Amino acid sequence: MQAGQIVLLLLAALAAGWVDAVVGGGGLLQLPALILAGLSPVQALATNKSAAIFGTASAAVTYARRTKFDRAVAVPSGLLAVAFAGLGAASAALLDAAVLKPLVIVVLLGVAAFVTLRPAFGRLPHPHLRTRGRVVAAVAVAGMAIAFYDGILGPGTGTFLLIAFTSILGMDFVHASATAKVINTGTNLGALIVFGLQGHVLWALGLGMAACNIAGAQIGARMALKRGAGFVRVVLLCVVTALVLKLGYQELAPRL
């Protein structure tokens, strides 16, 4: 791999760490960069996890120091996420990603429309929504369904976690993002264990990108905490739009 390619990968990791810390979706930057550098899709997915786990974990620590996150949701969801993301990664070779992509695009379009048409969504917390039944539902959705998705495909996992906690439990965007980082660390760990055992991770490259991912994550987490829910909402809409365009292009390009 040439020096210029390595520099571009490090810059992509820095930017991805920032995006991940604010709303999730850093894989939108890291995965294409790794594939363009010559890695196979599975190597790119695996090496992306080896970098992303450090950035996500560092962002989780920063959020935990400066704001409260919902431990009753984050801890059980995070533990489940390790197992279900690992299961998803182990199943990645068995399921054609093309089956999931159209569904993901529809969900993302729905998210974009919902957030756009409801500008107050996620700006303020709604604690009355946090019932025992909703907590159980949030743990199942985050720790099982979204975690499995992250292992088997991945794009937009942090974004889906953010929306899940905001809509199900009535969190504001900042606290939802803080809680999401704990679960996202678990999903990265579960998938990374499986990919590592399968020998797909390029560890030297992944660790180099991890350092840049941490730097970006620290900047992103601090900006989200300082600027609040309105800032997170704008970044969320930008990331969702980019995800829809990326996945849509992947779907349509082979047919053109």
Side-chain angles (χ1 to χ4, degrees):
M1 189 176 294
Q2 298 178 351
Q5 289 177 312
I6 294 175
V7 171
L8 289 176
L9 287 174
L10 295 178
L11 290 174
L14 179 71
W18 185 90
V19 172
D20 254 340
V22 180
V23 293
L28 177 68
L29 298 171
Q30 278 190 166
L31 279 172
L34 287 163
I35 292 173
L36 288 174
L39 277 68
S40 69
V42 68
Q43 284 179 324
L45 185 60
T47 305
N48 172 63
K49 295 297 182 190
S50 70
I53 188 172
F54 290 97
T56 305
S58 72
V61 171
T62 298
Y63 276 114
R65 287 176 175 172
R66 300 195 177 194
T67 190
K68 293 181 179 180
F69 63 89
D70 197 325
R71 286 174 171 79
V73 174
V75 173
S77 296
L79 293 174
L80 282 171
V82 176
F84 277 85
L87 182 61
S91 306
L94 304 177
L95 180 65
D96 186 357
V99 175
L100 285 178
K101 285 179 182 177
L103 177 61
V104 174
I105 292 172
V106 171
V107 172
L108 286 169
L109 286 172
V111 167
F114 185 77
V115 174
T116 301
L117 295 174
R118 294 188 60 183
F121 178 71
R123 288 184 177 270
L124 296 172
H126 298 282
H128 65 279
L129 293 178
R130 194 186 184 284
T131 64
R132 175 175 290 186
R134 283 176 173 264
V135 168
V136 172
V139 169
V141 170
M144 299 169 69
I146 297 178
F148 182 82
Y149 165 78
D150 191 28
I152 203 168
L153 189 60
T157 295
T159 305
F160 289 138
L161 288 169
L162 177 70
I163 292 297
F165 293 140
T166 307
S167 57
I168 298 174
L169 296 177
M171 295 183 187
D172 63 81
F173 279 142
V174 172
H175 289 86
S177 187
T179 306
K181 296 300 161 286
V182 178
I183 291 85
N184 211 171
T185 300
T187 65
N188 285 332
L189 177 60
L192 181 59
I193 290 172
V194 173
F195 286 134
L197 291 174
Q198 293 175 342
H200 295 307
V201 182
L202 302 184
W203 291 105
L205 176 60
L207 291 174
M209 293 177 68
C212 295
N213 208 268
I214 290 171
Q218 289 298 305
I219 296 170
R222 285 172 168 77
M223 287 182 70
L225 288 165
K226 181 179 180 179
R227 300 193 179 189
F231 169 71
V232 176
R233 178 179 180 273
V234 172
V235 177
L236 172 64
L237 286 172
C238 291
V239 170
V240 168
T241 301
L243 280 166
V244 169
L245 292 174
K246 176 179 180 291
L247 292 172
Y249 175 78
Q250 289 177 338
E251 278 292 296
L252 295 176
R255 304 173 189 175
L256 297 178

